[in-house]
Amino acid sequence: MKNPVTVASGTFGYGQEYDRYFDVSRLGAVTTKSLSLEPRAGNKPPRIVETPAGMLNAIGLQNVGLEAYLRDKAPYLRGKGVPVIANIVGRTPEEYAELARRLEAADAADAIEANLSCPNVHDAKRARGARIVSQSPEAVGRFTEAIVSATRLPVFVKLTPNVLDIAEPALAAQEAGATGVSLINTLIGMAIDPETRRPRLANVVGGLSGPAIRPVAVKMVWDAARALDIPIIGMGGIATAADAIEFLLAGARAVAVGCISFRQPDAAVQIVDGIADYLVRHGISDVNELVGAVEV
Ligand SMILES: Cc1cc2nc3c(=O)[nH]c(=O)nc-3n(C[C@H](O)[C@H](O)[C@H](O)COP(=O)(O)O)c2cc1C
């Protein structure tokens, strides 16, 4: 990455959608929407609710599926010459492994980001609730091993913040051979309309993102950075260069700009420029000097 800024999966489509706002090759990398083997239609609407300083979403992993991605979407990003982080989602370790293998074989990605923040079908049956894969360090290890052994591409494991101690799944990813971890996915939340007494999302619950979650995300990056030797891509509520620098100081090696792009489509490139200005203002020649440099 020529700069430490990428975009958060699911908030930037497959890159081309933002073409008319700025040249996406100015980013350190483009991260795709989660890709599954088959296309997915996602959940019924309403699937987005605005909340104070953020939003709840229950998109339900709608995506075009791997084949259409390789045919219709990847050539655009490859033509731009920008590094591509392909975010993948599956039901089993084998599905993740197949996605990684086929993305590498088609030369359609420079790195894999495995979204392990979705419900675990097998655990859900046992626990009768929506258990998330990365809530179990054992499952993180199992899924990560399968992906890492299927590809030579760098593998980043994206973790849910809906846990007591983020260091546990993060360490499990490291031990299983992950190149790095991506923190954080959304915090599970719910909103109810008092007039109708109905949940505002058709899916009832959804994922909270936006500036409201930033302090939680910064703290989780800080916790994980002290436990890990591998790099962290930090995200959660980044809206400005100053927000991005918070994550670097907490220990992230790169950052991802998420749902702020819905309100300000060129936010990510503004943040690239803002970080460069900050480095000049502070006489810093290498952005890596900021990584973990918080003085506690
Ligand atoms: C509408 C929407 C869709 C998302 N879809 C995905 C997804 O497909 N895969 C994934 O790993 N994360 C997904 N996320 C989570 C984001 O990548 C990110 O981790 C989270 O939103 C926190 O960053 P933010 O507060 O800057 O948006 C989605 C978030 C939003 C708001």
Side-chain angles (χ1 to χ4, degrees):
M1 291 166 68
K2 59 180 175 281
N3 63 60
V5 181
T6 183
V7 286
S9 176
T11 65
F12 209 73
Y14 307 98
Q16 194 164 7
E17 292 86 340
Y18 282 80
D19 213 13
R20 60 192 162 117
Y21 300 107
F22 68 95
D23 177 3
V24 302
S25 67
R26 294 214 41 225
L27 297 174
V30 168
T31 304
T32 70
K33 171 73 186 171
S34 280
L35 296 164
S36 50
L37 286 174
E38 302 300 331
R40 290 196 195 173
N43 293 325
K44 281 196 307 231
R47 16 189 232 178
I48 283 183
V49 175
E50 196 163 347
T51 61
M55 60 181 279
L56 274 173
N57 92 81
I59 303 297
L61 296 169
Q62 175 185 352
N63 77 99
V64 297
L66 181 67
E67 247 168 63
Y69 173 75
L70 294 178
R71 187 183 62 233
D72 305 332
K73 310 289 183 185
Y76 168 80
L77 284 173
R78 280 331 210 182
K80 294 297 282 186
V82 63
V84 176
I85 302 174
N87 182 302
I88 59 173
V89 69
R91 291 184 186 82
T92 59
E94 293 72 30
E95 284 191 15
Y96 280 92
E98 184 177 346
L99 283 155
R101 197 180 304 114
R102 287 174 58 185
L103 283 158
E104 181 184 0
D107 188 29
D110 298 286
I112 300 293
E113 179 174 70
N115 177 7
L116 296 191
S117 324
C118 43
N120 183 336
V121 180
H122 302 295
D123 278 3
K125 273 191 204 141
R126 220 179 312 140
R128 296 176 63 223
R131 282 276 310 205
I132 295 170
V133 175
S134 60
Q135 285 177 329
S136 155
E138 179 275 326
V140 170
R142 213 157 20 89
F143 279 66
T144 305
E145 256 171 42
I147 305 163
V148 166
S149 56
T151 180
R152 278 163 310 195
L153 293 174
V155 175
F156 287 81
V157 175
K158 185 160 173 182
L159 300 173
T160 179
N162 300 292
V163 293
L164 289 178
D165 180 5
I166 196 70
E168 289 183 5
L171 278 168
Q174 174 173 291
E175 277 158 26
T179 310
V181 293
S182 300
L183 307 174
I184 60 175
N185 211 313
T186 52
L187 286 154
I188 296 172
M190 179 174 179
I192 300 171
D193 181 347
E195 296 305 320
T196 62
R197 302 187 180 191
R198 304 271 307 155
R200 291 190 190 272
L201 290 169
N203 189 57
V204 182
V205 299
L208 183 65
S209 61
I213 71 169
R214 193 170 60 242
V216 175
V218 169
K219 198 268 185 181
M220 288 201 169
V221 166
W222 186 61
D223 281 343
R226 284 175 297 150
L228 295 180
D229 301 316
I230 56 176
I232 299 168
I233 303 175
M235 70 198 79
I238 295 175
T240 66
D243 301 340
I245 289 163
E246 260 195 85
F247 278 84
L248 299 176
L249 292 170
R253 176 85 37 193
V255 295
V257 177
C259 64
I260 194 67
S261 295
F262 297 158
R263 211 173 63 187
Q264 190 196 333
D266 67 346
V269 76
Q270 296 287 347
I271 289 169
V272 171
D273 290 340
I275 293 174
D277 288 346
Y278 174 92
L279 296 179
V280 171
R281 234 171 353 102
H282 289 264
I284 299 168
S285 59
D286 181 355
V287 69
N288 291 305
E289 284 175 29
L290 294 176
V291 177
V294 59
E295 292 171 19
V296 183

